[in-house]
Each structure stands twice: as C-alpha cells, then as structure tokens.
C-alpha cells in the first residue's frame, strides 16, 4: 500500500519525493505526481500527519487536473519548438548546401580596381578599389552583411548584398578572417556614419585566410572580461584591439616627434651596443650572461657610450632598449624598456633642465600639430592638457619638507633596510628625513596633488650613481621659477648632486638626468666609493684625460612618457610585448 506524505511547512514540490522524510509541499501536487496512491497524509504544522478531508482532497484533484493540463501544454510547446528548431536547422543546412553552388567571379568588364590601403581611400571615392584586411566586426541583417574591415592603417565599412552575400564563405564568415574586398567606394548617405565617411559596395570578394568559429572563435578566447594573465598570454591577439593598436600607433608618432625635436636642437642619433661589460646604475639590477667565455651584461643605460661621442659628434641621443633586473611589479616598471637618452657638451646644470623642458614641450607641440597623432591623443586621453613652461622646480630638501607638511609618510626601515611592521602586520609609517630615497608611491602622490610637471633636483650624493657631479655650495636654488630660493643645502650635512628627476601626474618619474663628473680625481673617487674596478672603465676615464668639459645628459622612459600622454594605467600597455619579472612570453 502506497502512502504519499505532504508537509505544507517544510515540504517541497520541487525536490520532494512524497516520503515521510522528503514530503511534498502541496496536496494538489501530490495527487498530480502520484494519482494512484492508496492514501495521502498531510500536516500543516509541526504536529502529526493526518488524512486530508474530502473537501481538501476534492480541491487537490482539481489542482492536479490543472497541473496535468499545464504539463501537456508545455510538452506540446516543446514539441513545436523542437519541430521549428529542426525546420530552421534543416533550412540552414539546405541554405549552406545551396550556397556551395554560388560561385563568385570578378567581372572583368568592370573598371580595373587598384589595390589601396584603407588610410588612402578618401581620394578614390566613386571609384572601384581593391582592399585587403581582417574582419574586425560584422553583422548579418536581412540578407545584407555589414563588415568593418581593418588593415592596420584604418577601418572601412563594407556592404555585401545579393550574390556576394549568398556564397558559402559569406554565410560562414568569422571575425579575424583575412579577406580581399573589391567594389565601389561611396560616400555614406547624409545622416549615416562610417569610418572615413565612406563605405565599400562589394561586387567581388574572397577569403584569404579563415579564422575559426565555435569554441575556438576569437571572441571566446579574448574579451573585455578576460583575466590579466590571459591578456598577457594572448598579447599577440590583444594588439588587434582598437585601444591597444591606437597606443602603439601613438608610440610610433611619439618616437618620430622626439627625433624631429632632437634634430631641431642639433642632436645626432647614434646606436650604442646592448651587450656591455660595465655597469651604470648598480650591479644588483644587471642581467648577467656568458659572452664567449667572458662575463657580460645587458645594458642598463647607454649613457657612458653617449659621453664618448661628444668630442667626435657633438651633442647626441639614442633610442635604445635598456634592461633592469629589478623584482618590481609596479605599474610603471618593466624589465626591458625603451630608453631615450641624450648627452650634451659645454652646458651647465640649469642648461640641462631647460633643455629637458624644451624637448618635452616641443615634442608635445609636434604631436598636437599633426592631425593623426593629435586625434590618437584625443581618443586615448580626451582630457589631455598641454604642459606649460616653466616647470615647477623643487630641491630634494624642499620635497622632503613638502611631504612632511602634507602628511605623506614612508614605511619605517631597520638597519638592514627591511620594512618594520606593527602588531597588525602593517608597515609602521614615519615622516621623511633628509637622506631618505623618496619612494615611488610618495613621489607619485606628491606629483598628483601638485597636478603638473615637477623637477626634483639636488639629490644626496649617496643616493646617486658614481658619475654624478657634486653641486657647488651656493647653487642649490636653480632658476627663477624655483619654489624656494633657500634650498637648505646645509640640511643634514649632506653633499648634494647636480641631478634631477622630471615627474609627471599619474605616472611619476619619466626622466632622470644629471651633470657628469668632469674631473679625473673626482671620477676615480666615484669608482672607489662604489667598489668599481677603474681598469674596466679605461675608455670612459680617457674622456677626462683628453680634453674634459662640463657635460650632462638624461634618460627618458618612452613607455612612461606614453602612459602619461595616452592616460594608460600601466606602462605594460605601452610596450609591444612587455617584459616584467616572470613574464618573457609571448
């Protein structure tokens, strides 16, 4: 004898089984699910199960009839949808099969179509042209296929209709397939928009290289919600996106603008080696390798080689890769970066900072004067404001005072340089002191508050490289635009250097420069202080032996400058294939 249990308080019509341990919730569902049961037991509270009254059982059977009708209706609907689905599937398969018989042939009686890059199409309106590229986007709308084609120089809207839209390739088109399109270029109708203000009416086309669909489709491998690690692994595909390609396009214009500006200042471009046997910024950050049985390194900076060019070539610059083996994962650090460096002879420290300021501002002027680079800046950084001269200038000592006045603190360190933490496990924060190396976070916070370019200059000797010239007493204040005529040179009894960093809002340091030691005795002392063997630097020392002069130079991080210019969150977006600790692929 079968007994079905119903508990209106704790039962469930969804997961219940009708047993005493797993009862249904409603009597109507119990009758619907088990119409042939011998008896039903029900309870409305925590009491005992009892037999339902005849009236409640009669009502339950009526509810069960309603559920049965609903079930049949759902089954009928499902059958209809399945039939329709099968019909649509059959129709789709037939259409695809029929499309294989549609053969598209270029009409030789039409005007000959020259091959044209998308960026050059404007002059070919009302003419027949041939373009190659990749399917950036497309949509099929009422047997008309709208395509956005990309060839690396720009974007083009193309329209496939009639026979060109009926081929098998048209019906199985996928994003990122490479294609050849031939047709007549027409100006878009009034009220409509398209890249370049025109669209291609296609009369012939073909697939050059198809891209996969289904699970391996481009949009399934890569989309806006992809994890950063996936984006890094698929950097070769990320580059195809509009933002990534715009950043790299702007980078190319930026390098051209820098070269034009340097040329206008009579600096000659040279190409120093990347394989070196001497250090510049410190041994702890060198990538070391074996070079035909001899120790060698990837260069940290081309500065020393640029200095050797001054007597032969005059003022020089280079655009060269530099490498730093720092285990740093900040948004402004890379293990390999493009280093734009310059060296100038017979200058003073104020000359050096004025020169850096000129190069920055004039390069931006060149970019904004060009309609292509200007539009890229507008796309990436709509709120970009051209920097105004003169730049604010803070001495190192003034910066320390400023940070303390604005309650910007630093982590406390022990004698070994380790961060001291409190009972809560968080770093103990203390005020800055003369002699501290201003940390990146504090430096960037200060720059963001000020909101415009800032030169920090006059850093303590022990914080800087061996080749930097000491600052003469009485010359701590640099330029009429310095924020304070009293730089406080005596503070902490330190010896300061003729060195400077240029800081930009949202990025921090983008340029580091200094006057170089011109006196042989001072240079030898610098070697000794850093524990450097002078014999390895004989060629560098010879510059002080054979006609020394006051000279200085600087290095600019191209990726950091581009991050500032294009409002990018991290410099990793500003490199073709960025390298950072643990990342050397693809």
């Amino acid at each position: 004898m079968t007994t079905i249990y119903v508990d209106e308080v704790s039962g469930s019509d969804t997961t219940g089984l009708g047993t005493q341990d797993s009862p249904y919730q409603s009597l109507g569902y119990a009758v619907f699910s088990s119409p042939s049961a011998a008896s039903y037991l029900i309870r409305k509270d925590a009491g005992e199960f009892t037999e339902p009254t005849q009236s409640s059982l009669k009502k339950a059977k009526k509810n069960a009839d309603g559920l049965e009708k609903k079930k049949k209706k759902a089954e009928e609907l499902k059958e209809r949808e399945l039939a329709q689905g099968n019909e649509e599937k059959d129709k789709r398969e037939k259409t695809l099969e029929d499309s294989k018989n549609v053969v598209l042939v270029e009409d030789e009686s039409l005007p000959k179509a020259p091959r044209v890059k998308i960026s050059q199409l404007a002059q070919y309106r009302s003419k027949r042209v041939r373009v190659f590229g990749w399917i950036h986007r497309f949509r099929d709308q009422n047997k008309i296929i709208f395509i956005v084609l990309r060839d690396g120089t720009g974007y083009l809207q193309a329209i496939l209709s009639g026979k060109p839209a009926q081929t098998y390739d048209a019906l199985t088109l996928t994003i990122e397939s490479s294609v050849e399109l031939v047709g007549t270029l027409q100006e878009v109708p009034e009220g409509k928009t398209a890249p370049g203000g025109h669209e291609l009416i296609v009369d012939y086309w073909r697939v050059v290289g198809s891209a996969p669909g289904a699970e391996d489709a481009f949009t399934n491998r890569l989309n806006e919600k992809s994890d950063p690690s996936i984006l890094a692994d698929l950097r070769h595909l990320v580059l195809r996106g509009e933002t990534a390609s715009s950043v790299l396009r702007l980078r190319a214009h930026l390098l051209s603008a820098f070269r034009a500006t340097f040329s206008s200042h009579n600096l000659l471009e040279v190409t120093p080696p990347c394989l070196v046997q001497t250090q510049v910024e410190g041994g702890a950050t060198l990538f070391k390798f074996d070079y035909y049985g001899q120790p060698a390194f990837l260069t940290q900076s081309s500065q020393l080689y640029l200095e050797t060019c001054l007597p032969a070539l005059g003022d020089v610059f280079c655009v060269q890769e530099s490498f730093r083996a720092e285990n740093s994962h900040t948004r402004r650090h890379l293990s390999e970066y493009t280093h734009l460096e310059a060296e100038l002879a017979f200058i003073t420290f104020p000359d050096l900072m004025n020169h850096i300021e000129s190069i920055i501002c004039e390069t931006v002027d060149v970019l904004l004067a060009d309609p292509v680079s200007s539009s890229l800046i507008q796309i990436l950084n709509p709120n970009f404001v051209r920097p105004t001269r003169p730049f604010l200038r803070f001495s190192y000592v003034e910066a320390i005072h400023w940070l303390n006045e604005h309650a910007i603190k630093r982590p406390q360190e022990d004698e070994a340089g380790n961060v001291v933490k409190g009972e809560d496990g968080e770093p103990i924060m203390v005020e800055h002191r003369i002699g501290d190396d201003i940390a990146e976070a504090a430096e960037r916070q200060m720059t963001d508050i000020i909101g415009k370019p800032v030169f920090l200059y006059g850093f303590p000797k022990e914080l800087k490289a061996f080749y930097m010239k000491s600052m003469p007493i009485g010359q701590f204040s640099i330029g009429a635009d310095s924020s304070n005529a009293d730089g406080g040179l005596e503070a902490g009894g330190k010896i300061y250097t003729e060195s400077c960093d240029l800081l930009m809002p949202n990025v921090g340091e983008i340029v580091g420069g200094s006057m170089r030691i011109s006196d042989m005795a001072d240079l030898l002392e610098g070697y000794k202080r850093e524990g450097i063997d002078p014999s390895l630097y004989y060629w560098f020392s010879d510059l002080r032996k054979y006609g020394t002069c006051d000279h200085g130079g600087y290095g600019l991080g191209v990726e950091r400058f581009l991050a500032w210019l294009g409002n990018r969150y991290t410099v990793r977006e500003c490199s073709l294939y960025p390298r950072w600790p643990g990342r050397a692929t693809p």
Side-chain angles (χ1 to χ4, degrees):
M1 182 180 293
T2 304
T3 300
I4 301 300
Y5 290 85
V6 177
D7 189 330
E8 294 184 352
V9 176
S10 61
S12 172
D13 290 341
T14 304
T15 60
L17 302 175
T19 63
Q20 188 170 359
D21 294 332
S22 181
Y24 294 126
Q25 187 177 34
S26 66
L27 185 57
Y29 188 81
V31 174
F32 165 72
S33 299
S34 307
S36 59
S39 62
Y40 302 93
L41 293 178
I42 186 171
R43 64 179 177 187
K44 300 180 182 294
D45 49 35
E48 298 291 328
F49 284 97
T50 59
E51 292 186 0
T53 62
Q54 287 298 319
S55 60
S56 60
L57 192 58
K58 183 178 180 180
K59 183 178 179 181
K61 289 179 179 179
K62 186 176 181 180
N63 292 338
D65 290 340
L67 291 172
E68 182 65 30
K69 291 178 181 178
K70 187 175 180 181
K71 176 184 177 184
K72 288 181 178 180
K73 187 175 181 180
E75 289 174 348
E76 291 173 358
L77 179 62
K78 186 176 181 180
E79 288 177 1
R80 281 201 304 272
E81 289 177 347
L82 183 60
Q84 289 175 356
N86 289 334
E87 185 178 344
E88 288 293 329
K89 182 180 178 181
D90 292 341
K91 185 178 179 180
R92 169 71 174 172
E93 289 178 352
K94 185 178 185 306
T95 300
L96 284 174
E97 194 62 33
D98 291 343
S99 71
K100 294 178 181 179
N101 297 320
V102 179
V103 179
L104 202 60
V105 179
E106 186 172 358
D107 190 344
E108 297 297 335
S109 67
L110 294 174
K112 185 175 177 61
R115 179 176 174 178
V116 184
K117 292 288 187 180
I118 290 176
S119 61
Q120 302 169 340
L121 281 173
Q123 59 186 306
Y124 289 89
R125 288 183 182 176
S126 301
K127 296 180 180 179
R128 196 163 176 264
V129 295
R130 185 184 311 273
V131 291
F132 290 82
W134 290 263
I135 302 296
H136 191 62
R137 289 190 298 270
F138 78 92
R139 72 179 191 276
D140 192 339
Q141 185 174 320
N142 297 326
K143 299 182 180 180
I144 299 177
I145 300 175
F146 292 87
I147 289 174
V148 175
L149 190 73
R150 181 191 75 243
D151 74 346
T153 71
Y155 299 89
L156 170 67
Q157 179 170 289
I159 299 175
L160 275 59
S161 62
K163 195 173 180 180
Q166 296 168 7
T167 65
Y168 183 79
D169 284 340
L171 298 181
T172 57
L173 192 62
T174 52
I175 286 178
E176 292 305 322
S177 291
S178 54
V179 297
E180 174 188 5
L181 303 181
V182 184
T184 303
L185 191 68
Q186 294 184 353
E187 190 172 353
V188 294
E190 188 176 349
K192 303 291 184 179
T193 59
H198 44 236
E199 59 190 5
L200 187 69
I201 309 303
V202 176
D203 57 61
Y204 170 78
W205 76 286
R206 68 183 180 91
V207 173
V208 176
S210 62
E215 292 183 1
D216 205 26
F218 184 86
T219 50
N220 286 336
R221 294 193 67 190
L222 191 67
N223 55 61
E224 294 178 354
K225 298 181 180 179
S226 296
D227 185 87
S229 63
I230 294 176
L231 294 178
D233 289 337
L234 300 180
R235 178 67 177 170
H236 60 294
L237 299 181
V238 171
L239 297 178
R240 303 186 183 199
E242 294 175 29
T243 299
S245 60
S246 293
V247 171
L248 293 178
R249 233 178 242 112
L250 180 56
R251 178 188 170 108
H253 284 277
L254 173 62
L255 291 174
S256 294
F258 267 124
R259 285 187 164 99
T261 304
F262 278 124
S263 179
S264 70
H265 283 258
N266 298 311
L267 273 76
L268 184 72
E269 183 171 5
V270 294
T271 308
C274 280
L275 307 182
V276 301
Q277 290 188 300
T278 51
Q279 68 184 52
V280 181
E281 300 296 338
T285 64
L286 285 166
F287 283 105
K288 188 175 182 179
F289 63 97
D290 180 84
Y291 186 69
Y292 300 107
Q294 299 178 24
F297 315 98
L298 294 176
T299 184
Q300 301 167 312
S301 167
S302 298
Q303 175 208 319
L304 305 189
Y305 294 103
L306 292 181
E307 288 190 48
T308 68
C309 295
L310 293 178
L313 303 172
D315 299 343
V316 291
F317 78 97
C318 72
V319 181
Q320 182 67 283
E321 298 303 290
S322 284
F323 304 84
R324 301 285 172 89
E326 296 177 271
N327 190 23
S328 178
H329 294 264
T330 76
R331 60 189 178 99
R332 70 173 194 172
H333 279 90
L334 291 170
S335 297
E336 175 187 5
Y337 66 98
T338 303
H339 211 173
L340 192 154
E341 299 180 85
E343 206 71 24
L344 301 95
F346 301 104
I347 63 169
T348 64
F349 188 34
D351 291 338
L352 176 64
M353 286 200 284
N354 289 337
H355 167 83
I356 294 171
E357 188 175 280
S358 296
I359 294 296
I360 296 296
C361 292
E362 291 172 27
T363 297
V364 171
D365 288 343
V366 170
L367 290 167
L368 294 179
D370 179 82
V372 177
S373 54
S374 179
S375 66
L376 288 170
I377 294 172
Q378 179 62 29
I379 290 169
L380 296 169
N381 190 2
N383 298 319
F384 178 76
V385 177
R386 185 195 310 257
T388 57
R389 304 171 65 179
F391 293 170
L392 183 63
R393 299 183 182 185
F394 264 16
S395 72
Y396 164 83
V397 175
E398 290 173 316
I400 293 292
H401 294 329
W402 190 97
L403 290 169
N404 290 334
E405 288 171 0
H406 289 76
I408 298 174
K409 299 186 176 183
R410 64 173 180 87
Q412 182 179 346
E413 297 181 350
D414 59 23
E415 293 181 358
N418 300 311
V419 174
V420 178
K421 297 183 178 180
E423 295 180 357
D424 58 357
E426 295 297 319
I428 296 175
M429 305 301 289
V430 296
E431 285 194 339
H432 287 82
R433 299 173 301 180
I434 300 296
D436 287 342
D437 190 359
I438 301 174
E440 172 200 346
E443 187 179 75
R444 193 171 65 244
Q445 192 174 352
M446 177 179 69
T447 311
D448 290 348
I449 291 173
I450 294 172
K452 54 185 178 181
V454 180
F455 268 120
L456 289 191
Y457 68 90
F459 294 91
K461 189 173 184 178
E462 63 267 25
L463 298 180
K464 289 300 180 179
F466 71 90
Y467 55 77
M468 292 190 181
K469 187 176 182 179
S470 297
M471 181 177 287
I473 300 295
Q475 292 187 11
F476 203 75
S477 179
I478 305 297
D481 55 334
S482 177
S483 60
N484 186 349
D486 177 15
L489 178 59
E490 75 287 350
K494 301 288 183 183
I495 296 176
Y496 298 88
T497 56
E498 290 189 332
S499 57
C500 63
D501 289 345
L502 177 59
L503 316 179
M504 289 294 193
N506 301 321
V507 179
E509 179 192 344
I510 64 168
V511 179
S514 75
M515 295 298 292
R516 320 309 192 187
I517 291 175
S518 57
D519 180 77
M520 178 69 83
D522 289 345
L523 181 61
L524 294 175
E525 176 59 33
Y527 291 148
K528 182 178 179 181
R529 185 179 75 246
E530 298 297 328
I532 293 174
D533 180 1
S535 65
L536 297 175
Y537 292 78
Y538 71 92
W539 51 274
F540 185 66
S541 301
D542 274 354
L543 301 176
R544 282 75 185 168
K545 182 178 181 181
Y546 294 94
T548 190
C549 72
D550 287 333
H551 63 286
Y554 56 93
L556 177 147
V558 171
E559 288 82 7
R560 290 188 185 182
F561 190 94
L562 184 56
W564 166 72
L565 186 67
N567 193 31
R568 298 298 92 196
Y569 176 74
T570 171
V571 293
R572 295 177 185 180
E573 296 181 57
C574 302
S575 173
L576 182 63
Y577 286 101
R579 301 297 188 233
W580 65 87
R583 169 64 60 177
T585 54

